[in-house]
């Protein structure tokens, strides 16, 4: 019997029993209606929750996709390493594109002198002699790999650079000298100290500090001072290119009384000077000039005030007319700064045939010049090392040097000396030299290969070398 039929039957009945049954039936109906309403509400709640769960599921899927994308990005942009590495800064040579400048390999086009040559050759040899070596650079405030440098050095495809995250056991050596980035490197050295990473800085010279008057004080000096103060305050050790430079650094440190939280170890090493062999393709202009004089003197290095080119030219002016006609001065070096006096002298009639400046010499041309000139003149006011001296010594080329400590350290007495920045003294030295058949034998000067030079640096990094001095 349906509820409708039962309800009709109740309505047809009378009496107390029928009345009670009707009341009970009506209450039951009300309960059923309420339950049905409650069920509808629950359905709505379930539907709302279902929609909410679907929305959350979609959000979680988006988050999962985002996390996967971030993970892929990290994998692509951060260099993941399972062991400590030797990180070598190549910021400046990478930025200016001197990829392999000065590297002693067949096919090199330009022979770079100075710091770039030291940086390139040391990295090349350290990379060949050691494992887990990574070239790095500062870019946009981050320490990243310098795979572009590696690809140009080794050949092959260029890889995408990745971010370097310093980890305990790493060592970082600031081989290059990117003064402009000293603030970023200061942060890097702070992180290195916090993470158990040993930091080392190469000091190539202290010339701008020792002689600020010959530098562009507004641009060079503040950056140079910032860089070297950062090394002296934050690096674990500094490695100087000579003992003379190390002594100058120690004196500077003690004068300024730097405050450190740990000792600073000071080392020095011998700079290399391998001379590559190769086909000698030399401009006829250079050949004719060198072969046109009885005595041809060579100067190698960037033409700037402290290198003493003006002193050499003034010394030639002081020679007797006969001697001056016998002399030639070949200058090989890029154009530096504050060279107005040198340029002015070179335009004089007396130097049109007796002086030649080559600012873009190739490695073959410089090698040929070392082999065919009569003596090297090194007239610098100050140097960190003096690479042309040992390069010339490799060829047995006699040396005429200013009497500064670094030149005496490098040449060890196998050279003729004159008072620094004294044109009269150099003129007397040249006159005596041209009248003398025997000269100090530069071949007795110890000449280190770049492989040996790199081995000395690696011995320092590996803790096999006792520091020259430890500063507190």
């Amino acid at each position: 019997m349906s509820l409708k039929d039962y309800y009709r039957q109740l309505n047809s009945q009378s009496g107390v029993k029928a009345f009670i049954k009707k009341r009970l039936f009506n209450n039951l109906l009300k309960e059923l209606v309420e339950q049905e309403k409650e069920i509808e509400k629950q359905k709505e709640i379930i539907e709302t929750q279902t929609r909410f769960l679907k929305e959350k599921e979609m959000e979680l899927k988006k988050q999962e996709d985002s996390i996967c994308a971030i993970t892929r990005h990290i994998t692509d942009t951060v260099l993941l390493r399972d062991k400590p590495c030797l990180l070598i800064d190549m910021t400046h040579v990478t930025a200016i594109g001197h990829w392999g400048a000065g590297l002693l390999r067949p096919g090199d086009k330009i022979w770079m002198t100075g710091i770039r040559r030291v940086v390139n050759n040391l990295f090349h040899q350290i990379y060949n002699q050691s494992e887990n070596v990574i070239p790095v650079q500062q870019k946009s405030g981050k320490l990243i790999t310098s795979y572009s440098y590696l690809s140009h050095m080794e050949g092959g495809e260029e890889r995408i650079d990745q971010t370097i995250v310093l980890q305990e056991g790493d060592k970082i050596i600031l081989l290059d000298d990117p003064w402009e980035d000293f603030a970023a490197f200061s942060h890097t050295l702070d992180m290195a100290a916090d993470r158990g990473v040993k930091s080392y800085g190469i000091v190539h010279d202290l010339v701008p500090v020792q002689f600020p008057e010959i530098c562009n004080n507004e641009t060079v000096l503040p950056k140079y001072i910032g860089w070297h103060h950062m090394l002296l305050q934050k690096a674990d050790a500094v490695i100087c290119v000579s003992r003379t430079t190390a002594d100058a650094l120690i004196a500077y440190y003690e004068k300024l009384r730097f405050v450190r939280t740990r000792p600073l170890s000071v080392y020095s090493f011998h700079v290399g000077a391998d001379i590559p062999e190769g086909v000698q393709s030399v401009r006829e202009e250079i050949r004719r000039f060198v072969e046109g004089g009885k005595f041809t003197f060579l100067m190698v290095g960037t033409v700037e005030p402290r290198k003493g080119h003006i002193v050499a030219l003034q010394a030639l002016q002081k020679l007797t007319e006969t001697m001056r006609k016998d002399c030639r001065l070949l200058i090989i070096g890029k154009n530096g700064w504050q060279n107005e006096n040198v340029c002015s002298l070179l335009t004089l009639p007396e130097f049109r045939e007796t002086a030649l400046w080559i600012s873009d010499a190739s490695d073959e041309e410089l090698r040929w010049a070392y082999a065919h000139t009569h003596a090297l003149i090194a007239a610098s006011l100050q140097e960190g090392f003096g690479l042309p001296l040992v390069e010339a010594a490799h060829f047995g080329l006699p040396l005429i040097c200013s009497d500064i400590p670094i030149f005496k350290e490098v040449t060890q007495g196998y050279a003729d000396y004159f008072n620094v920045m004294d044109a009269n003294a150099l003129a007397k030295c040249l006159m005596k030299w041209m009248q003398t058949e025997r000269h100090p034998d530069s071949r007795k000067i110890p000449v280190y290969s770049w492989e040996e030079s790199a081995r000395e640096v690696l011995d320092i990094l590996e803790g096999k070398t006792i520091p020259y001095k430890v500063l507190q």
Side-chain angles (χ1 to χ4, degrees):
M1 181 181 294
S2 69
L3 287 174
K4 285 183 179 180
D5 291 338
Y6 181 71
Y7 186 72
R8 289 193 193 101
Q9 185 181 4
L10 284 177
N11 283 334
S12 64
Q13 296 175 1
S14 59
V16 175
K17 281 187 177 183
F19 176 78
I20 292 171
K21 285 181 179 180
K22 287 179 184 179
R23 289 288 299 270
L24 288 173
F25 185 79
N26 287 332
N27 289 338
L28 178 61
L29 282 177
K30 286 181 180 179
E31 253 183 68
L32 288 173
V33 170
E34 290 299 323
Q35 286 180 3
E36 188 175 355
K37 289 181 179 178
E38 186 61 29
I39 289 170
E40 289 300 322
K41 285 182 181 179
Q42 292 299 323
K43 282 183 179 180
E44 289 180 5
I45 291 172
I46 290 170
E47 288 176 359
T48 301
Q49 290 178 340
T50 302
R51 286 195 303 271
F52 176 77
L53 289 173
K54 284 184 178 179
E55 290 174 358
K56 284 297 180 184
E57 185 179 359
M58 291 176 65
E59 285 183 18
L60 288 173
K61 184 65 171 64
K62 287 181 181 178
Q63 289 178 1
E64 183 180 353
D65 292 342
S66 178
I67 290 170
C68 289
I70 291 170
T71 302
R72 286 194 300 271
H73 178 73
I74 290 173
T75 303
D76 291 340
T77 59
V78 175
L79 181 63
L80 302 178
R81 303 181 282 134
D82 58 359
K83 60 182 66 175
C85 295
L86 174 57
L87 310 173
I88 303 182
D89 169 50
M90 304 297 285
T91 298
H92 195 45
V93 291
T94 300
I96 63 179
H98 287 174
W99 308 110
L103 284 180
L104 307 179
R105 299 175 298 153
D108 285 349
K109 299 300 182 185
I110 300 296
W111 184 307
M112 292 298 298
T113 56
I115 294 175
R116 299 291 80 73
R117 186 179 176 112
V118 174
V119 170
N120 281 314
N121 280 290
L122 277 180
F123 176 83
H124 183 68
Q125 290 298 333
I126 291 173
Y127 186 75
N128 288 338
Q129 295 182 45
S130 187
E131 296 181 348
N132 303 317
V133 176
I134 302 174
V136 298
Q137 58 178 318
Q138 284 283 355
K139 199 166 188 179
S140 301
K142 292 193 302 183
L143 189 67
I144 65 173
T145 57
S146 184
Y147 289 141
S148 53
Y149 180 87
L150 269 187
S151 65
H152 281 80
M153 187 182 82
E154 296 180 320
E157 276 189 42
E158 189 171 316
R159 291 179 285 171
I160 297 174
D161 284 316
Q162 295 174 290
T163 300
I164 292 289
V165 177
L166 298 175
Q167 61 187 48
E168 187 174 1
D170 284 342
K171 294 176 183 177
I172 181 168
I173 178 169
L174 307 186
L175 183 60
D176 210 346
D177 62 343
W179 303 341
E180 295 84 356
D181 297 307
F182 75 86
F185 273 106
S186 180
H187 178 61
T188 297
L189 294 192
D190 287 337
M191 286 195 299
D194 291 340
R195 298 179 184 181
V197 175
K198 290 289 186 182
S199 58
Y200 303 79
I202 298 290
V203 176
H204 297 276
D205 64 61
L206 286 177
V207 173
V209 168
Q210 294 171 306
F211 301 96
E213 66 276 6
I214 62 173
C215 299
N216 187 333
N217 294 349
E218 293 183 1
T219 57
V220 173
L221 198 56
K223 296 173 184 176
Y224 182 94
I225 290 175
W227 174 263
H228 286 83
H229 283 198
M230 174 202 70
L231 292 181
L232 294 174
Q233 289 175 319
K234 298 186 176 184
D236 290 295
V238 290
I239 307 172
C240 301
V241 296
S242 65
R243 187 61 59 85
T244 300
T245 299
D247 288 335
L249 182 86
I250 292 166
Y252 184 70
Y253 181 93
E254 293 174 343
K255 177 183 177 182
L256 268 65
R257 298 181 180 180
F258 286 94
V259 177
R260 290 177 54 90
T261 58
R262 61 193 187 281
L264 173 67
S265 297
V266 180
Y267 300 87
S268 66
F269 73 104
H270 295 95
V271 172
D274 289 332
I275 304 296
E277 300 298 330
V279 178
Q280 295 187 345
S281 175
V282 181
R283 277 172 276 187
E284 191 60 30
E285 176 189 19
I286 297 175
R287 287 182 183 273
R288 286 200 308 268
F289 179 80
V290 171
E291 294 167 357
K294 185 177 179 180
F295 301 104
T296 302
F297 298 102
L298 174 66
M299 296 186 77
V300 177
T302 301
V303 180
E304 47 149 315
R306 73 178 171 93
K307 297 287 186 178
H309 295 88
I310 191 72
V311 173
L313 291 170
Q314 290 172 345
L316 292 180
Q317 286 181 311
K318 296 177 183 296
L319 299 178
T320 63
E321 185 177 351
T322 302
M323 283 187 167
R324 193 162 57 246
K325 287 180 180 179
D326 288 339
C327 288
R328 296 284 187 276
L329 178 63
L330 175 61
I331 299 171
I332 291 181
K334 67 179 182 179
N335 189 9
W337 53 89
Q338 298 179 15
N339 295 322
E340 296 81 6
N341 291 340
V342 172
C343 294
S344 178
L345 279 179
L346 288 174
T347 62
L348 296 178
E350 60 203 89
F351 288 123
R352 286 174 188 169
E353 302 295 329
T354 59
L356 176 64
W357 177 8
I358 301 296
S359 62
D360 60 347
S362 67
D363 57 352
E364 292 93 350
E365 288 170 334
L366 181 56
R367 187 166 55 242
W368 187 90
Y370 277 132
H372 291 83
T373 53
H374 296 90
L376 177 81
I377 297 176
S380 297
L381 172 66
Q382 186 58 277
E383 292 285 350
F385 180 71
L387 195 55
L389 295 174
V390 287
E391 290 176 344
H394 178 88
F395 288 90
L397 187 64
L399 306 175
I400 301 171
C401 310
S402 55
D403 58 351
I404 57 177
I406 183 57
F407 284 172
K408 289 190 174 181
E409 176 188 340
V410 172
T411 60
Q412 298 187 15
Y414 298 109
D416 288 299
Y417 305 100
F418 62 93
N419 293 338
V420 62
M421 288 293 163
D422 187 336
N424 288 320
L426 177 54
K428 291 177 182 177
C429 187
L430 291 176
M431 285 188 282
K432 182 179 178 182
W433 192 95
M434 288 185 283
Q435 293 169 346
T436 305
E437 292 185 3
R438 296 177 64 86
H439 309 288
D441 189 355
S442 65
R443 289 171 296 184
K444 294 181 180 180
I445 296 172
V447 177
Y448 293 78
S449 68
W450 285 111
E451 182 180 355
E452 292 169 325
S453 182
R455 186 65 258 170
E456 286 190 10
V457 174
L458 283 171
D459 284 346
I460 292 171
L461 300 180
E462 293 166 6
K464 298 177 181 178
T465 301
I466 298 173
Y468 173 52
K469 191 163 185 178
V470 177
L471 303 174
Q472 301 298 328

